[in-house]
Amino acid sequence: MQAAIVTAQGVDPVYGDFPDPVVAPGEVRVRVRAAALSQITRGRAAGAHYSASNLFPFVPGIDGTGLLDDGQRVYFVMPRPPLGSMAEQVAVAERQCIALPEGLDDVTAAAIANPGMSSWGALVERARLRPGETVLINGATGASGRLAVQIARHLGAKRVIATGRNPAALTALAGLGADSVIALTDTEDALNARFEQLFGEGVDVVLDYLWGQSARALLIAAARAGADAVPIRFVQIGSVSGADIDLPSAVLRASAIELMGSGIGSIPFDRLIASIAGVFDAAGPAGLQIATKAMPLAEVERGWREQGPERVVFTVDGD
């Protein structure tokens, strides 16, 4: 079969021949229709993501959409290595497939699943968001962050605050459900003052897609300005701005901050699947929006280098 193939760590995939999958007991064969290029897929290929196996060669892609042998449309996740979703076929455990709702097309479902799950899982499974609470999303201008704004509102957040560096993208967030936005390009003093003001007013949940300096500033502001003994659930999801921070220990001793992570390993796998199903079910009623750029899988070498605001989705035409 034809597939994208990663031959070594840090080497972009090439389009070529790869052995067809052999379906084992408990698995199903999926004829792939669409597979999104996500940050975790890039990270695994580069050997930089904590879930990378570093076994080569392999087909990249953690999830996608396609057809079972009986013609049913499904979303699938975590096919058995060395197979990934960027191929004509995959073998995947039957329990790791979700029937796609009518009206949700293959490309949109592939694009929305992983970034939508990141906030759905964080809000529902980790933070246990309650209707009427205030959510601050640090790093809301990427695909995951934009969906997080929409999902937080859909799940009942009373107020949604968004941070980011892109002024145009920040402005657009107002139309997606953000009540206020904060430009991370402001001076350090201005940011610290604004963060302390927000936590003084009350923030219940922080979804952090960035880590790095902005996360450190938020945690310190929360400890300084948050109400005594009132929990602030800080959920760490991504590390776009840096893998490590230097955090004073007093931040945790002097506050009720609940610092936790959300991702593969921190949420039971069946609950991750349930989170994706929740996103799919909400896509229509909530009007969830994600910008996509569909490209044939044969163009994977060009598409892999795309860095625009749209989520690249590789498509496969099959029988």
Side-chain angles (χ1 to χ4, degrees):
M1 67 176 179
Q2 297 299 295
I5 305 167
V6 177
T7 57
Q9 181 174 311
V11 177
D12 289 353
V14 295
Y15 187 69
D17 292 316
F18 202 82
D20 289 354
V22 177
V23 179
E27 293 184 333
V28 291
R29 181 176 72 113
V30 181
R31 288 175 288 154
V32 180
R33 287 293 176 263
L37 178 53
S38 60
Q39 290 299 325
I40 184 174
T41 294
R42 290 184 187 274
R44 281 182 155 202
H49 193 268
Y50 64 87
S51 66
S53 68
N54 293 320
L55 298 176
F56 303 95
F58 73 91
V59 176
I62 65 165
D63 61 354
T65 59
L67 299 175
L68 299 181
D69 286 340
D70 64 5
Q72 182 181 17
R73 294 174 62 241
V74 297
Y75 165 84
F76 64 90
V77 62
M78 296 298 183
R80 174 165 46 87
L83 292 173
S85 57
M86 295 180 183
E88 291 180 322
Q89 302 177 30
V90 295
V92 61
E94 187 173 10
R95 67 184 181 88
Q96 293 165 209
C97 297
I98 303 170
L100 287 178
E102 292 294 330
L104 185 62
D105 66 271
D106 291 334
V107 169
T108 300
I112 210 171
N114 182 260
M117 176 272 293
S118 73
S119 55
W120 192 285
L123 290 168
V124 174
E125 302 293 336
R126 300 295 281 157
R128 308 286 182 181
L129 179 71
R130 296 181 288 270
E133 292 189 314
T134 294
V135 177
L136 188 155
I137 299 164
N138 189 37
T141 54
S144 297
R146 289 195 298 272
L147 279 171
V149 169
Q150 301 169 68
I151 288 170
R153 182 65 74 191
H154 172 73
L155 291 174
K158 176 186 69 177
R159 186 183 182 198
V160 179
I161 305 157
T163 78
R165 292 188 172 276
N166 185 316
L170 278 174
T171 300
L173 290 175
L176 297 178
D179 297 288
S180 58
V181 298
I182 301 171
L184 295 177
T185 52
D186 285 348
T187 66
E188 182 177 350
D189 288 344
L191 274 178
N192 290 339
R194 182 72 173 114
F195 288 163
E196 289 189 23
Q197 176 191 353
L198 290 171
F199 284 105
E201 295 169 352
V203 173
D204 300 291
V205 176
V206 177
L207 299 189
D208 172 48
Y209 284 94
L210 301 181
W211 207 229
Q213 182 58 37
S214 62
R216 181 180 187 275
L218 283 167
L219 286 163
I220 292 174
R224 287 177 175 171
D228 288 349
V230 176
I232 298 169
R233 289 104 76 198
F234 191 105
V235 189
Q236 213 297 300
I237 304 172
S239 54
V240 175
S241 294
D244 303 294
I245 63 172
D246 178 12
L247 185 67
S249 60
V251 167
L252 300 181
R253 293 198 306 272
S255 71
I257 293 172
E258 298 175 354
L259 182 59
M260 66 191 83
S262 183
I264 299 170
S266 60
I267 299 175
F269 191 78
D270 64 324
R271 299 309 303 163
L272 286 175
I273 296 292
S275 295
I276 296 168
V279 173
F280 288 162
D281 290 341
L288 300 183
Q289 300 176 34
I290 185 168
T292 60
K293 182 174 184 178
M295 303 177 65
L297 181 61
E299 298 180 18
V300 64
E301 295 167 43
R302 177 172 68 87
W304 194 268
R305 297 189 292 270
E306 289 278 339
Q307 297 291 338
E310 300 161 316
R311 175 143 296 206
V312 172
V313 179
F314 295 113
T315 59
V316 182
D317 292 323
D319 297 330

